[in-house]
Structure formats: structure tokens, C-alpha cells
Amino acid sequence: MLVSDRRYRRTHVRRRGFTILELMIASSVFAVILLVVAVGVQRFTSGYFKGVTSSQTQATARNIMSDVSQAIEFGTNITPTVTSSGVSGLCIDNTLYSYAVGQQVTDTAPNSGKHQANHALVVSNPSSCTASTTPSLPNNPLPSGSRELLGQHMRLSAFSVTGSGSLYTIHIRIIYGDDDLLTPAVSGSTNWATENCSGTAGSQFCAVSDLQTTVERRVL
């Protein structure tokens, strides 16, 4: 009887499950691990989108700079046009650059209260381009032969071509992001040339690219 009783005790001990305390400790450790993993994934995702946004903005600024630089380098006449309804223009021979600073490009129905429009920097080739040419930024679709140089959610923060004779300086500054991601807070009197990303929530979808170069004309 004594031997049988001992076997019963050993079998009973081996079949025991986890206690409530052990389950609580295991659950707590598992929850901490999940939290650490979730924070790591969130930071990785945020960094990834920040990198993509910055890369797209810089690539667009470089492409625009290359486009304007080549036009000036091989152009014979560089003339600013009149400004109409907040849209400025630049003629390089018969190529017209129509642009509006601070206007964010969107494919959807634009919200003027958020400084949005279908287009903000359009290059076209009118039959003639002079100081009296009226620049324009039409809604979608663009006329044949015209193209938008900015990507979605981008806007010009600054765009200028200055100089005379053979040397011209080009300054291009592009901001990617909605109004609420910018600082100082966007208002009716915003100086777009000084706007930057605020660093608040959603800042992975905000970027600034500022380029300046001097071009020498080859055709005089």
C-alpha cells in the first residue's frame, strides 16, 4: 500500500499544470516583448516613409533644376512675364514656366482653404512667349504639350531666376506635405520661403528640398 501511494504522489506531481502566478508572469513577459516589437516596427515604418518622402522631394527638385538649367544654358531670351491671379511666369525662348508659390499639387478636388490646386508649376510651349504673356495654371486635364513638374502633395516654396548677360542664378525650394505639417503655422500672410516641417505627428510625410545653382549661357 505504501509503495502504491508513493507512485500516486509522483504521478500526481508530474501532471500538475501552471499556477495562476506563473501564467501571469509569462503573460507579462510576452506582453513586454510584443510592445518592444511594436515600437520597433513603428519606428522602422516611420523612418522608411520619411526616407521615401525626402528622396522623392529631392529627386523632383533636381529634375526641375536640370530642366530649367538646360533651358537657360541653351536659350537666347530669358524674360519674366506679368503676374496674373497669383500666377507668375518665366519665358525661356518659347518655353513658358507658369507657377504659383505655396500651392500644393493634388489630383483630387483641390481645397483652396488648404492651398491646394491641380497644378503649381507647369511648363508649356506657346507660339510666342514675351514679358506680356499671361501665365496660367489650368485644372485637370492639362492641354496637350503641357506638363506638371511637381509631384503629388508638393508645392513650390521658392522659385526664382535672376541674372543678366551670360550668368543666371536659379533658386528652387520644394516642400512636400500638408499645411498642418508645417511651421510656422500657415496663414493668409505665410512667407513660404521660410516654411519648414514641424516635426509633429505625421512628419514622416513632410520634407523640404532647397537647391541653388549658377548657370552660364552658351548662346549669346
Side-chain angles (χ1 to χ4, degrees):
M1 178 66 70
L2 182 59
V3 174
S4 176
D5 187 53
R6 286 177 181 174
R7 288 177 180 174
Y8 171 78
R9 286 185 190 144
R10 284 199 297 268
T11 304
H12 183 70
V13 170
R14 283 198 298 269
R15 291 180 179 176
R16 253 189 355 172
F18 291 107
T19 65
I20 294 178
L21 180 59
E22 289 171 336
L23 287 173
M24 290 178 64
I25 293 174
S27 298
S28 299
V29 171
F30 185 64
V32 170
I33 293 174
L34 283 180
L35 179 61
V36 171
V37 171
V39 170
V41 170
Q42 191 276 332
R43 288 184 178 178
F44 172 81
T45 303
S46 178
Y48 170 78
F49 282 114
K50 181 66 177 177
V52 170
T53 299
S54 179
S55 177
Q56 289 178 345
T57 306
Q58 292 175 12
T60 299
R62 285 194 297 266
N63 290 339
I64 295 173
M65 180 66 79
S66 176
D67 191 296
V68 177
S69 296
Q70 289 183 20
I72 292 176
E73 188 175 1
F74 298 101
T76 55
N77 296 302
I78 295 93
T79 309
T81 71
V82 296
T83 298
S84 176
S85 302
V87 181
S88 301
L90 175 70
C91 288
I92 303 178
D93 291 339
N94 282 340
T95 299
L96 173 63
Y97 293 88
S98 301
Y99 62 93
V101 172
Q103 194 160 277
Q104 185 188 41
V105 175
T106 178
D107 270 343
T108 58
N111 184 338
S112 59
K114 295 182 178 180
H115 303 93
Q116 294 177 344
N118 289 141
H119 299 287
L121 175 57
V122 172
V123 59
S124 59
N125 297 99
S127 56
S128 65
C129 196
T130 65
S132 60
T133 299
T134 302
S136 64
L137 293 171
N139 294 324
N140 286 331
L142 281 173
S144 177
S146 300
R147 55 193 173 97
E148 172 64 58
L149 298 184
L150 291 173
Q152 285 291 293
H153 310 297
M154 297 181 188
R155 72 183 89 204
L156 283 174
S157 172
F159 181 71
S160 65
V161 176
T162 57
S164 60
S166 62
L167 292 179
Y168 283 82
T169 298
I170 308 168
H171 180 209
I172 295 172
R173 190 170 189 265
I174 296 176
I175 297 176
Y176 183 112
D178 298 335
D179 286 2
D180 58 355
L181 298 178
L182 306 180
T183 185
V186 175
S187 66
S189 57
T190 293
N191 179 5
W192 292 103
T194 62
E195 286 293 310
N196 281 293
C197 297
S198 63
T200 56
S203 60
Q204 67 266 34
F205 300 107
C206 184
V208 177
S209 181
D210 195 326
L211 301 179
Q212 182 169 304
T213 190
T214 298
V215 179
E216 183 175 8
R217 290 173 57 198
R218 297 189 181 187
V219 181
L220 298 175

